[in-house]
Amino acid sequence: MPRPSHSGIRSARWVVVGAGFTGLAAARQLALNFPDDEIVLIEAQEVGYGASGRNAGFAIDLPHDIGADDYIGDIGTAKISMELNLAGQSILKGLVEKHQIQCQFSLCGKYQAAIEDRGIAVLDAYRRGLDKLGQEYEMIEEQDLPTHIGTHFYRKALFTPGTALVQPAALVKGLADSLPANVTLYENTPITEVEYGDKTVLTHQFGRIVADKLILTNNAFAMSFGFLKGRMLPIFTYASLTRQLTEDEQARLGGRPYWGVIPADPFGTTLRRTPDNRLLVRNSFSFNADGRSHPKYLQRFKQRHQNSFALRFPMLPDVNFEYTWGGSLAMSRNHMAHFGQLTSNVYGALCCNGLGVTRGTVTGTLLADWLAGKRNHLIDFLLSSPGPNRNPPEPLLSAGVNMNLLWGQCRAGKES
Ligand SMILES: Cc1cc2nc3c(=O)[nH]c(=O)nc-3n(C[C@H](O)[C@H](O)[C@H](O)COP(=O)(O)OP(=O)(O)OC[C@H]3O[C@@H](n4cnc5c(N)ncnc54)[C@H](O)[C@@H]3O)c2cc1C
């Protein structure tokens, strides 16, 4: 059952907007840092219905700088980036254990798989980067892959053991259910107007909330609060999930009981076999400049998911998708995020760049620590980020982003 929405007028010292991974982490840590204060956490939907509950569930440990030749780039930056990801993963693991959150959390690693020559070159380059970073991996060749992931589709995969896989909606719901007692979460309370001043007044359909300090953890939606406008790109990506496989289908598929594959090409297909024996396919992107979902894409991309599924799992011709959905990512052209102050008494951890499970968790937590006056090298690193860079004006922006998405998806070839 969702928690009640807010109605009437109330004030609070701390108000956090957006109860995804980032907001749940920020609210929890603020509550721990300020045990005598009340923290209000506001979510437009029910927790789990936003991107944090609708993603592919990879809690990724390793850095992956797509701007660098070896995907690792500057070693100092890569090490801090990995430290951040691991800190986010460890926070989640600790909370899952402490609160017994049933979300299929499993530290089972990930396969990064390739079929095209371009993808194979990416794996070889990334392997060099991982050597530089001193990270463990295993390169798995074509003939051995089916014993891991069933499908004969891929030519090569780079297995890295440190990624955890989760059922993301169950995880965020569990995180919301285990918030400290001094956090009040209002669901189904979309904020529609904001007035800034000494205090911030947040208006919604049924009332107002007045914040001494506002923390924005609503990703690309922060643009409608007047921040990082023209710097973030609301890009949607899409996924489909099959029904549960029968025992016979599981036998025909083969491979390990659960696993996750990310594509060597960033425009390729993510795959998962979940512990409850479903297969998930994620691919395709659309640039929805208004930040809203558009149903026309769902039908189109469901067809693409079906094609990708048929190529990878010819042994499962009768398995249909039970669910198809899309969700919003906040991307920036320079792959940078915002962390810190936005204006007087307003702060944010924004622009997930597609990796919010671990990164959102750690940046939300560290933002709350910074607000409590704590400093460490991770906070200093995040504060020193130049943040998302400026986009070109419309209509150049839409034309450029759409061309890029189209070209990237074509170039991914069979990996899409
Ligand atoms: C299909 C798909 C697969 C993905 N796979 C992965 C993956 O495997 N691993 C990974 O790390 N990342 C993945 N991502 C990205 C990941 O989901 C995001 O990075 C993550 O959700 C960002 O978390 P967040 O808390 O910062 O923002 P969000 O999850 O977007 O949460 C922001 C919240 O703010 C709320 N909000 C917005 N505006 C308002 C308002 N006006 N009033 C009140 N509330 C508001 C929204 O409803 C939303 O719940 C995927 C995304 C998608 C769509």
Side-chain angles (χ1 to χ4, degrees), residues 17-22 42-45 50-52 54-58 189-191 217-219 221 225 237 282 327 329 352 354-357:
V17 174
F21 282 106
T22 313
I42 307 172
E43 171 52 47
Q45 314 173 77
S52 284
R54 289 169 176 263
N55 60 59
F58 288 69
T189 307
I191 300 299
T217 51
N218 54 350
N219 229 356
F221 303 100
F225 284 63
T237 185
R282 187 220 48 86
L329 308 171
C352 70
L355 264 196
V357 176

Side-chain angles (χ1 to χ4, degrees), residues 9-17 38-42 191 194-203 208-216 225 344-347:
I9 297 180
R10 78 162 288 179
S11 334
R13 174 140 188 248
W14 304 98
V15 176
V16 181
V17 174
E38 184 67 18
I39 322 297
V40 168
L41 173 59
I42 307 172
I191 300 299
V194 198
E195 259 175 71
Y196 300 104
D198 281 349
K199 294 183 188 255
T200 305
V201 183
L202 301 152
T203 305
R208 282 203 306 273
I209 300 175
V210 181
D212 288 357
K213 302 218 181 263
L214 172 67
I215 288 89
L216 289 180
F225 284 63
S344 174
N345 293 323
V346 183
Y347 310 88

